[in-house]
Amino acid sequence: MGWYPSAQPAAGPFAEPAAPPRRGVPGLSRLAKPAGAAGWTRVWRGRSTLMNALLFGVAPVTLAAVIVAAFLIVSPGKGSASSLGFKAGPAPGTQQLTASAMATPSQSPSASPSAHKKKHPRATPSGSLGAKTATRPGTSTKATLKPAHKVTPHNLGLPNFAGYCQHIGHRTAELVASNAYGWRCTLNPSIVLKTVSVCAWTYHLSTSRVIDVSTNYSDPNAWQCWRINRDLGTLDVARYCVAAGHGTSKLVANNAYGWQCTSPAAAVDTTAACNLLYHVTDAVSRFAVFSSPYSWQCWN
């Protein structure tokens, strides 16, 4: 049985080994625990500015970057915009971009390159120049048609049958019957001449401005050329006799001269009948076909 001392000897083989000295950490070696203090107290004086910048500037940022990188590597896809609550909308179309550009006003007059350019009037197509007329201020722009020149119906004279036949190359005119329809051109006597065409050529008028009137069917020289304006309409002999207080109408012959009124019994004055029925004072009456009692016309 050996003997052991009650306390660890300070020297010898059983002495307590000496504790190695602690190495100081740069910048932290000045931390000390003064006698009588309750805990450690940081001593800042003596640390360099570079050390402060490294500890409190670069070190936290580097640590945060390492943590974020580790998070992205461990959980791929969870750091995307969708996991953070963001939702991407559809890309704007061409029409939306155009509408936005049109709806956005310029910030200043100089924002548009054409803002300071002088505006020129729009060119007018040449085809529409004739459709527009210049108007004075305050006047109506509605186009007004100039009324046709109205004339008082009057007798121009006889038709020139011989001159008309020579004009169309048929030498001259001749009579083949002793009535209003007896005139022919010599080179083709089978063709009945249209007296209205002869009147128009004789007096240099269109056929719409002249009519041929026979005052006596039995006389081939009783033709007249009348300058007129318009066709009033047909002559209603029955209505005329009643309106004039001459009883009723009566047809006594089957031709243009066959009409009579019954009270008193007399031939109908066709010119007076046209004036009364159409409320004019310068009417011209004519028959178109002598053999038809219903071919009477009123002109003015």
Side-chain angles (χ1 to χ4, degrees):
M1 294 180 63
W3 172 85
Y4 293 96
S6 60
Q8 190 78 15
F14 300 102
E16 181 179 3
R22 295 186 180 181
R23 299 180 63 182
V25 180
L28 299 179
S29 59
R30 304 197 184 279
L31 295 177
K33 185 177 182 181
W40 292 91
T41 303
R42 290 187 179 182
V43 180
W44 298 99
R45 290 180 297 179
R47 189 188 307 165
S48 63
T49 304
L50 177 60
M51 184 59 65
N52 289 332
L54 292 176
L55 288 176
F56 300 102
V58 178
V61 175
T62 305
L63 181 60
V66 172
I67 295 174
V68 172
F71 175 75
L72 294 177
I73 293 173
V74 174
S75 301
K78 294 186 177 180
S80 62
S82 60
S83 65
L84 298 178
F86 296 100
K87 184 176 181 181
T94 304
Q95 296 180 355
Q96 294 177 348
L97 293 177
T98 305
S100 300
M102 294 179 62
T104 304
S106 300
Q107 298 298 325
S108 63
S110 61
S112 175
S114 61
H116 298 288
K117 292 183 180 180
K118 182 178 180 181
K119 293 184 179 180
H120 296 277
R122 181 185 295 178
T124 304
S126 58
S128 62
L129 292 177
K132 296 182 180 180
T133 56
T135 57
R136 296 180 179 178
T139 60
S140 175
T141 58
K142 184 178 180 180
T144 55
L145 297 177
K146 185 177 180 180
H149 181 62
K150 186 177 180 179
V151 299
T152 301
H154 57 280
N155 182 10
L156 296 172
L158 296 173
N160 185 357
F161 289 103
Y164 176 77
C165 289
Q166 186 178 4
H167 170 70
I168 64 175
H170 286 201
R171 196 164 56 187
T172 189
E174 62 180 1
L175 280 172
V176 297
S178 297
N179 56 51
Y181 297 147
W183 290 104
R184 302 287 191 277
C185 289
T186 55
L187 294 182
N188 198 347
S190 62
I191 299 177
V192 178
L193 290 175
K194 292 183 178 180
T195 310
V196 65
S197 298
V198 178
C199 286
W201 176 86
T202 303
Y203 296 100
H204 310 288
L205 295 170
S206 65
T207 54
S208 62
R209 292 289 178 260
V210 65
I211 58 171
D212 55 323
V213 177
S214 175
T215 58
N216 185 355
Y217 171 73
S218 300
D219 184 0
N221 294 313
W223 281 106
Q224 297 176 351
C225 298
W226 279 76
R227 175 72 169 87
I228 46 81
N229 298 296
R230 60 192 178 113
D231 180 8
L232 295 176
T234 59
L235 173 57
D236 187 345
V237 177
R239 188 161 68 91
Y240 162 71
C241 292
V242 174
H246 297 319
T248 59
S249 60
K250 183 180 179 180
L251 187 61
V252 296
N254 196 24
N255 55 51
Y257 293 157
W259 288 108
Q260 290 183 352
C261 289
T262 58
S263 181
V268 175
D269 183 348
T270 54
T271 301
C274 286
N275 284 329
L276 178 65
L277 293 178
Y278 289 99
H279 310 287
V280 294
T281 58
D282 52 4
V284 180
S285 61
R286 67 181 292 270
F287 58 82
V289 180
F290 176 73
S291 61
S292 173
Y294 301 99
S295 67
W296 281 98
Q297 301 172 349
C298 298
W299 291 76
N300 175 258

PDB file of all heavy atoms in Angstrom, residues 86-119:
ATOM      1  N   PHE A  86     -44.929  36.798 -56.335  1.00  0.00           N
ATOM      2  CA  PHE A  86     -45.058  37.649 -57.510  1.00  0.00           C
ATOM      3  C   PHE A  86     -45.655  36.834 -58.643  1.00  0.00           C
ATOM      4  O   PHE A  86     -45.305  35.670 -58.828  1.00  0.00           O
ATOM      5  CB  PHE A  86     -43.688  38.198 -57.946  1.00  0.00           C
ATOM      6  CG  PHE A  86     -43.078  39.109 -56.914  1.00  0.00           C
ATOM      7  CD1 PHE A  86     -42.089  38.643 -56.042  1.00  0.00           C
ATOM      8  CD2 PHE A  86     -43.484  40.417 -56.800  1.00  0.00           C
ATOM      9  CE1 PHE A  86     -41.532  39.471 -55.098  1.00  0.00           C
ATOM     10  CE2 PHE A  86     -42.929  41.245 -55.862  1.00  0.00           C
ATOM     11  CZ  PHE A  86     -41.956  40.779 -55.002  1.00  0.00           C
ATOM     12  N   LYS A  87     -46.520  37.473 -59.429  1.00  0.00           N
ATOM     13  CA  LYS A  87     -47.171  36.814 -60.554  1.00  0.00           C
ATOM     14  C   LYS A  87     -46.938  37.655 -61.800  1.00  0.00           C
ATOM     15  O   LYS A  87     -47.322  38.817 -61.841  1.00  0.00           O
ATOM     16  CB  LYS A  87     -48.678  36.653 -60.304  1.00  0.00           C
ATOM     17  CG  LYS A  87     -49.378  35.880 -61.416  1.00  0.00           C
ATOM     18  CD  LYS A  87     -50.840  35.668 -61.084  1.00  0.00           C
ATOM     19  CE  LYS A  87     -51.542  34.878 -62.161  1.00  0.00           C
ATOM     20  NZ  LYS A  87     -52.956  34.675 -61.876  1.00  0.00           N
ATOM     21  N   ALA A  88     -46.309  37.032 -62.780  1.00  0.00           N
ATOM     22  CA  ALA A  88     -46.011  37.774 -64.014  1.00  0.00           C
ATOM     23  C   ALA A  88     -47.240  37.821 -64.890  1.00  0.00           C
ATOM     24  O   ALA A  88     -47.902  36.813 -65.101  1.00  0.00           O
ATOM     25  CB  ALA A  88     -44.855  37.085 -64.759  1.00  0.00           C
ATOM     26  N   GLY A  89     -47.564  39.010 -65.390  1.00  0.00           N
ATOM     27  CA  GLY A  89     -48.710  39.171 -66.281  1.00  0.00           C
ATOM     28  C   GLY A  89     -48.303  38.943 -67.717  1.00  0.00           C
ATOM     29  O   GLY A  89     -47.124  38.824 -68.042  1.00  0.00           O
ATOM     30  N   PRO A  90     -49.300  38.868 -68.657  1.00  0.00           N
ATOM     31  CA  PRO A  90     -48.980  38.653 -70.077  1.00  0.00           C
ATOM     32  C   PRO A  90     -48.279  39.851 -70.654  1.00  0.00           C
ATOM     33  O   PRO A  90     -48.494  40.989 -70.241  1.00  0.00           O
ATOM     34  CB  PRO A  90     -50.363  38.437 -70.710  1.00  0.00           C
ATOM     35  CG  PRO A  90     -51.300  39.122 -69.771  1.00  0.00           C
ATOM     36  CD  PRO A  90     -50.719  38.968 -68.407  1.00  0.00           C
ATOM     37  N   ALA A  91     -47.440  39.590 -71.622  1.00  0.00           N
ATOM     38  CA  ALA A  91     -46.708  40.683 -72.276  1.00  0.00           C
ATOM     39  C   ALA A  91     -47.677  41.565 -73.029  1.00  0.00           C
ATOM     40  O   ALA A  91     -48.650  41.090 -73.618  1.00  0.00           O
ATOM     41  CB  ALA A  91     -45.671  40.090 -73.231  1.00  0.00           C
ATOM     42  N   PRO A  92     -47.496  42.860 -72.990  1.00  0.00           N
ATOM     43  CA  PRO A  92     -48.413  43.763 -73.698  1.00  0.00           C
ATOM     44  C   PRO A  92     -48.351  43.527 -75.187  1.00  0.00           C
ATOM     45  O   PRO A  92     -47.273  43.352 -75.754  1.00  0.00           O
ATOM     46  CB  PRO A  92     -47.900  45.156 -73.309  1.00  0.00           C
ATOM     47  CG  PRO A  92     -46.479  44.950 -72.937  1.00  0.00           C
ATOM     48  CD  PRO A  92     -46.402  43.580 -72.340  1.00  0.00           C
ATOM     49  N   GLY A  93     -49.555  43.512 -75.843  1.00  0.00           N
ATOM     50  CA  GLY A  93     -49.623  43.318 -77.280  1.00  0.00           C
ATOM     51  C   GLY A  93     -49.287  44.595 -78.032  1.00  0.00           C
ATOM     52  O   GLY A  93     -49.100  45.672 -77.475  1.00  0.00           O
ATOM     53  N   THR A  94     -49.265  44.443 -79.364  1.00  0.00           N
ATOM     54  CA  THR A  94     -48.945  45.603 -80.210  1.00  0.00           C
ATOM     55  C   THR A  94     -50.015  46.667 -80.127  1.00  0.00           C
ATOM     56  O   THR A  94     -49.742  47.860 -80.076  1.00  0.00           O
ATOM     57  CB  THR A  94     -48.804  45.122 -81.663  1.00  0.00           C
ATOM     58  OG1 THR A  94     -47.820  44.092 -81.712  1.00  0.00           O
ATOM     59  CG2 THR A  94     -48.383  46.279 -82.570  1.00  0.00           C
ATOM     60  N   GLN A  95     -51.316  46.219 -80.071  1.00  0.00           N
ATOM     61  CA  GLN A  95     -52.393  47.198 -79.994  1.00  0.00           C
ATOM     62  C   GLN A  95     -52.359  47.951 -78.677  1.00  0.00           C
ATOM     63  O   GLN A  95     -52.648  49.144 -78.625  1.00  0.00           O
ATOM     64  CB  GLN A  95     -53.744  46.502 -80.167  1.00  0.00           C
ATOM     65  CG  GLN A  95     -53.912  45.869 -81.553  1.00  0.00           C
ATOM     66  CD  GLN A  95     -55.241  45.199 -81.684  1.00  0.00           C
ATOM     67  OE1 GLN A  95     -56.008  45.129 -80.713  1.00  0.00           O
ATOM     68  NE2 GLN A  95     -55.572  44.750 -82.877  1.00  0.00           N
ATOM     69  N   GLN A  96     -52.012  47.235 -77.575  1.00  0.00           N
ATOM     70  CA  GLN A  96     -51.957  47.927 -76.281  1.00  0.00           C
ATOM     71  C   GLN A  96     -50.845  48.947 -76.262  1.00  0.00           C
ATOM     72  O   GLN A  96     -50.994  50.048 -75.736  1.00  0.00           O
ATOM     73  CB  GLN A  96     -51.748  46.896 -75.176  1.00  0.00           C
ATOM     74  CG  GLN A  96     -52.929  45.945 -74.990  1.00  0.00           C
ATOM     75  CD  GLN A  96     -52.649  44.900 -73.950  1.00  0.00           C
ATOM     76  OE1 GLN A  96     -51.511  44.734 -73.529  1.00  0.00           O
ATOM     77  NE2 GLN A  96     -53.683  44.187 -73.540  1.00  0.00           N
ATOM     78  N   LEU A  97     -49.682  48.589 -76.856  1.00  0.00           N
ATOM     79  CA  LEU A  97     -48.575  49.537 -76.890  1.00  0.00           C
ATOM     80  C   LEU A  97     -48.929  50.752 -77.729  1.00  0.00           C
ATOM     81  O   LEU A  97     -48.622  51.884 -77.385  1.00  0.00           O
ATOM     82  CB  LEU A  97     -47.334  48.845 -77.462  1.00  0.00           C
ATOM     83  CG  LEU A  97     -46.726  47.716 -76.578  1.00  0.00           C
ATOM     84  CD1 LEU A  97     -45.560  47.081 -77.299  1.00  0.00           C
ATOM     85  CD2 LEU A  97     -46.283  48.285 -75.227  1.00  0.00           C
ATOM     86  N   THR A  98     -49.627  50.498 -78.860  1.00  0.00           N
ATOM     87  CA  THR A  98     -50.021  51.625 -79.721  1.00  0.00           C
ATOM     88  C   THR A  98     -51.013  52.523 -79.030  1.00  0.00           C
ATOM     89  O   THR A  98     -50.939  53.741 -79.083  1.00  0.00           O
ATOM     90  CB  THR A  98     -50.618  51.088 -81.025  1.00  0.00           C
ATOM     91  OG1 THR A  98     -49.672  50.198 -81.625  1.00  0.00           O
ATOM     92  CG2 THR A  98     -50.938  52.226 -81.980  1.00  0.00           C
ATOM     93  N   ALA A  99     -52.022  51.901 -78.347  1.00  0.00           N
ATOM     94  CA  ALA A  99     -53.015  52.703 -77.637  1.00  0.00           C
ATOM     95  C   ALA A  99     -52.388  53.505 -76.526  1.00  0.00           C
ATOM     96  O   ALA A  99     -52.744  54.654 -76.279  1.00  0.00           O
ATOM     97  CB  ALA A  99     -54.123  51.794 -77.091  1.00  0.00           C
ATOM     98  N   SER A 100     -51.408  52.881 -75.806  1.00  0.00           N
ATOM     99  CA  SER A 100     -50.754  53.610 -74.719  1.00  0.00           C
ATOM    100  C   SER A 100     -49.962  54.777 -75.250  1.00  0.00           C
ATOM    101  O   SER A 100     -49.938  55.859 -74.665  1.00  0.00           O
ATOM    102  CB  SER A 100     -49.844  52.648 -73.950  1.00  0.00           C
ATOM    103  OG  SER A 100     -50.595  51.590 -73.404  1.00  0.00           O
ATOM    104  N   ALA A 101     -49.313  54.573 -76.399  1.00  0.00           N
ATOM    105  CA  ALA A 101     -48.528  55.663 -76.973  1.00  0.00           C
ATOM    106  C   ALA A 101     -49.407  56.801 -77.419  1.00  0.00           C
ATOM    107  O   ALA A 101     -49.072  57.977 -77.300  1.00  0.00           O
ATOM    108  CB  ALA A 101     -47.702  55.133 -78.146  1.00  0.00           C
ATOM    109  N   MET A 102     -50.620  56.463 -77.967  1.00  0.00           N
ATOM    110  CA  MET A 102     -51.523  57.515 -78.424  1.00  0.00           C
ATOM    111  C   MET A 102     -52.172  58.235 -77.263  1.00  0.00           C
ATOM    112  O   MET A 102     -52.473  59.418 -77.332  1.00  0.00           O
ATOM    113  CB  MET A 102     -52.601  56.908 -79.331  1.00  0.00           C
ATOM    114  CG  MET A 102     -52.046  56.356 -80.635  1.00  0.00           C
ATOM    115  SD  MET A 102     -53.341  55.628 -81.639  1.00  0.00           S
ATOM    116  CE  MET A 102     -54.352  57.058 -81.929  1.00  0.00           C
ATOM    117  N   ALA A 103     -52.422  57.495 -76.174  1.00  0.00           N
ATOM    118  CA  ALA A 103     -53.119  58.105 -75.040  1.00  0.00           C
ATOM    119  C   ALA A 103     -52.209  58.932 -74.182  1.00  0.00           C
ATOM    120  O   ALA A 103     -52.682  59.726 -73.370  1.00  0.00           O
ATOM    121  CB  ALA A 103     -53.778  57.013 -74.194  1.00  0.00           C
ATOM    122  N   THR A 104     -50.874  58.750 -74.314  1.00  0.00           N
ATOM    123  CA  THR A 104     -49.941  59.489 -73.461  1.00  0.00           C
ATOM    124  C   THR A 104     -49.633  60.825 -74.090  1.00  0.00           C
ATOM    125  O   THR A 104     -49.104  60.895 -75.193  1.00  0.00           O
ATOM    126  CB  THR A 104     -48.640  58.693 -73.291  1.00  0.00           C
ATOM    127  OG1 THR A 104     -48.966  57.405 -72.762  1.00  0.00           O
ATOM    128  CG2 THR A 104     -47.683  59.431 -72.354  1.00  0.00           C
ATOM    129  N   PRO A 105     -49.986  61.927 -73.470  1.00  0.00           N
ATOM    130  CA  PRO A 105     -49.712  63.241 -74.055  1.00  0.00           C
ATOM    131  C   PRO A 105     -48.240  63.565 -73.973  1.00  0.00           C
ATOM    132  O   PRO A 105     -47.492  63.044 -73.154  1.00  0.00           O
ATOM    133  CB  PRO A 105     -50.555  64.194 -73.189  1.00  0.00           C
ATOM    134  CG  PRO A 105     -50.653  63.484 -71.870  1.00  0.00           C
ATOM    135  CD  PRO A 105     -50.668  62.004 -72.175  1.00  0.00           C
ATOM    136  N   SER A 106     -47.816  64.468 -74.849  1.00  0.00           N
ATOM    137  CA  SER A 106     -46.429  64.903 -74.821  1.00  0.00           C
ATOM    138  C   SER A 106     -46.182  65.720 -73.581  1.00  0.00           C
ATOM    139  O   SER A 106     -47.038  66.477 -73.122  1.00  0.00           O
ATOM    140  CB  SER A 106     -46.130  65.745 -76.072  1.00  0.00           C
ATOM    141  OG  SER A 106     -46.362  64.969 -77.229  1.00  0.00           O
ATOM    142  N   GLN A 107     -44.979  65.566 -73.040  1.00  0.00           N
ATOM    143  CA  GLN A 107     -44.639  66.280 -71.818  1.00  0.00           C
ATOM    144  C   GLN A 107     -44.417  67.766 -72.071  1.00  0.00           C
ATOM    145  O   GLN A 107     -44.614  68.586 -71.203  1.00  0.00           O
ATOM    146  CB  GLN A 107     -43.370  65.657 -71.201  1.00  0.00           C
ATOM    147  CG  GLN A 107     -43.547  64.190 -70.793  1.00  0.00           C
ATOM    148  CD  GLN A 107     -44.605  64.031 -69.735  1.00  0.00           C
ATOM    149  OE1 GLN A 107     -44.755  64.887 -68.864  1.00  0.00           O
ATOM    150  NE2 GLN A 107     -45.362  62.942 -69.800  1.00  0.00           N
ATOM    151  N   SER A 108     -44.014  68.101 -73.268  1.00  0.00           N
ATOM    152  CA  SER A 108     -43.761  69.499 -73.592  1.00  0.00           C
ATOM    153  C   SER A 108     -43.984  69.703 -75.073  1.00  0.00           C
ATOM    154  O   SER A 108     -44.015  68.749 -75.835  1.00  0.00           O
ATOM    155  CB  SER A 108     -42.312  69.873 -73.215  1.00  0.00           C
ATOM    156  OG  SER A 108     -41.404  69.105 -73.983  1.00  0.00           O
ATOM    157  N   PRO A 109     -44.188  70.933 -75.537  1.00  0.00           N
ATOM    158  CA  PRO A 109     -44.399  71.158 -76.964  1.00  0.00           C
ATOM    159  C   PRO A 109     -43.262  70.653 -77.823  1.00  0.00           C
ATOM    160  O   PRO A 109     -43.448  70.337 -78.987  1.00  0.00           O
ATOM    161  CB  PRO A 109     -44.545  72.685 -77.056  1.00  0.00           C
ATOM    162  CG  PRO A 109     -44.978  73.117 -75.696  1.00  0.00           C
ATOM    163  CD  PRO A 109     -44.324  72.147 -74.749  1.00  0.00           C
ATOM    164  N   SER A 110     -42.066  70.592 -77.283  1.00  0.00           N
ATOM    165  CA  SER A 110     -40.929  70.133 -78.073  1.00  0.00           C
ATOM    166  C   SER A 110     -40.766  68.639 -78.052  1.00  0.00           C
ATOM    167  O   SER A 110     -39.827  68.109 -78.643  1.00  0.00           O
ATOM    168  CB  SER A 110     -39.649  70.789 -77.548  1.00  0.00           C
ATOM    169  OG  SER A 110     -39.437  70.402 -76.185  1.00  0.00           O
ATOM    170  N   ALA A 111     -41.673  67.898 -77.369  1.00  0.00           N
ATOM    171  CA  ALA A 111     -41.531  66.451 -77.300  1.00  0.00           C
ATOM    172  C   ALA A 111     -41.765  65.821 -78.654  1.00  0.00           C
ATOM    173  O   ALA A 111     -41.196  64.799 -78.977  1.00  0.00           O
ATOM    174  CB  ALA A 111     -42.505  65.868 -76.279  1.00  0.00           C
ATOM    175  N   SER A 112     -42.671  66.393 -79.464  1.00  0.00           N
ATOM    176  CA  SER A 112     -42.946  65.869 -80.791  1.00  0.00           C
ATOM    177  C   SER A 112     -42.113  66.619 -81.806  1.00  0.00           C
ATOM    178  O   SER A 112     -42.077  67.843 -81.799  1.00  0.00           O
ATOM    179  CB  SER A 112     -44.436  66.029 -81.126  1.00  0.00           C
ATOM    180  OG  SER A 112     -44.683  65.639 -82.444  1.00  0.00           O
ATOM    181  N   PRO A 113     -41.433  65.907 -82.739  1.00  0.00           N
ATOM    182  CA  PRO A 113     -40.593  66.610 -83.707  1.00  0.00           C
ATOM    183  C   PRO A 113     -41.381  67.473 -84.655  1.00  0.00           C
ATOM    184  O   PRO A 113     -40.843  68.383 -85.258  1.00  0.00           O
ATOM    185  CB  PRO A 113     -39.893  65.451 -84.451  1.00  0.00           C
ATOM    186  CG  PRO A 113     -40.769  64.268 -84.246  1.00  0.00           C
ATOM    187  CD  PRO A 113     -41.374  64.463 -82.868  1.00  0.00           C
ATOM    188  N   SER A 114     -42.697  67.181 -84.810  1.00  0.00           N
ATOM    189  CA  SER A 114     -43.493  67.978 -85.730  1.00  0.00           C
ATOM    190  C   SER A 114     -44.275  69.063 -85.027  1.00  0.00           C
ATOM    191  O   SER A 114     -45.143  69.682 -85.628  1.00  0.00           O
ATOM    192  CB  SER A 114     -44.468  67.059 -86.494  1.00  0.00           C
ATOM    193  OG  SER A 114     -45.341  66.420 -85.585  1.00  0.00           O
ATOM    194  N   ALA A 115     -44.012  69.302 -83.738  1.00  0.00           N
ATOM    195  CA  ALA A 115     -44.812  70.273 -82.986  1.00  0.00           C
ATOM    196  C   ALA A 115     -44.575  71.683 -83.481  1.00  0.00           C
ATOM    197  O   ALA A 115     -45.469  72.529 -83.438  1.00  0.00           O
ATOM    198  CB  ALA A 115     -44.482  70.184 -81.501  1.00  0.00           C
ATOM    199  N   HIS A 116     -43.357  71.972 -83.967  1.00  0.00           N
ATOM    200  CA  HIS A 116     -43.050  73.323 -84.393  1.00  0.00           C
ATOM    201  C   HIS A 116     -43.152  73.497 -85.896  1.00  0.00           C
ATOM    202  O   HIS A 116     -42.829  74.558 -86.411  1.00  0.00           O
ATOM    203  CB  HIS A 116     -41.630  73.696 -83.933  1.00  0.00           C
ATOM    204  CG  HIS A 116     -41.501  73.674 -82.428  1.00  0.00           C
ATOM    205  ND1 HIS A 116     -42.076  74.631 -81.633  1.00  0.00           N
ATOM    206  CD2 HIS A 116     -40.873  72.795 -81.591  1.00  0.00           C
ATOM    207  CE1 HIS A 116     -41.789  74.364 -80.352  1.00  0.00           C
ATOM    208  NE2 HIS A 116     -41.076  73.250 -80.318  1.00  0.00           N
ATOM    209  N   LYS A 117     -43.565  72.396 -86.601  1.00  0.00           N
ATOM    210  CA  LYS A 117     -43.690  72.511 -88.045  1.00  0.00           C
ATOM    211  C   LYS A 117     -44.993  73.193 -88.408  1.00  0.00           C
ATOM    212  O   LYS A 117     -46.013  73.010 -87.770  1.00  0.00           O
ATOM    213  CB  LYS A 117     -43.637  71.115 -88.694  1.00  0.00           C
ATOM    214  CG  LYS A 117     -42.259  70.459 -88.555  1.00  0.00           C
ATOM    215  CD  LYS A 117     -42.251  69.119 -89.273  1.00  0.00           C
ATOM    216  CE  LYS A 117     -40.894  68.445 -89.146  1.00  0.00           C
ATOM    217  NZ  LYS A 117     -40.870  67.143 -89.836  1.00  0.00           N
ATOM    218  N   LYS A 118     -44.957  73.932 -89.477  1.00  0.00           N
ATOM    219  CA  LYS A 118     -46.164  74.617 -89.944  1.00  0.00           C
ATOM    220  C   LYS A 118     -47.064  73.623 -90.641  1.00  0.00           C
ATOM    221  O   LYS A 118     -46.624  72.847 -91.474  1.00  0.00           O
ATOM    222  CB  LYS A 118     -45.769  75.728 -90.925  1.00  0.00           C
ATOM    223  CG  LYS A 118     -46.964  76.538 -91.431  1.00  0.00           C
ATOM    224  CD  LYS A 118     -46.509  77.652 -92.354  1.00  0.00           C
ATOM    225  CE  LYS A 118     -47.700  78.461 -92.850  1.00  0.00           C
ATOM    226  NZ  LYS A 118     -47.281  79.530 -93.765  1.00  0.00           N
ATOM    227  N   LYS A 119     -48.329  73.636 -90.267  1.00  0.00           N
ATOM    228  CA  LYS A 119     -49.287  72.707 -90.836  1.00  0.00           C
ATOM    229  C   LYS A 119     -49.767  73.248 -92.178  1.00  0.00           C
ATOM    230  O   LYS A 119     -50.129  74.403 -92.304  1.00  0.00           O
ATOM    231  CB  LYS A 119     -50.486  72.502 -89.901  1.00  0.00           C
ATOM    232  CG  LYS A 119     -50.100  71.794 -88.608  1.00  0.00           C
ATOM    233  CD  LYS A 119     -51.334  71.541 -87.770  1.00  0.00           C
ATOM    234  CE  LYS A 119     -50.968  70.819 -86.480  1.00  0.00           C
ATOM    235  NZ  LYS A 119     -52.149  70.560 -85.634  1.00  0.00           N
TER     236      LYS A 119
END
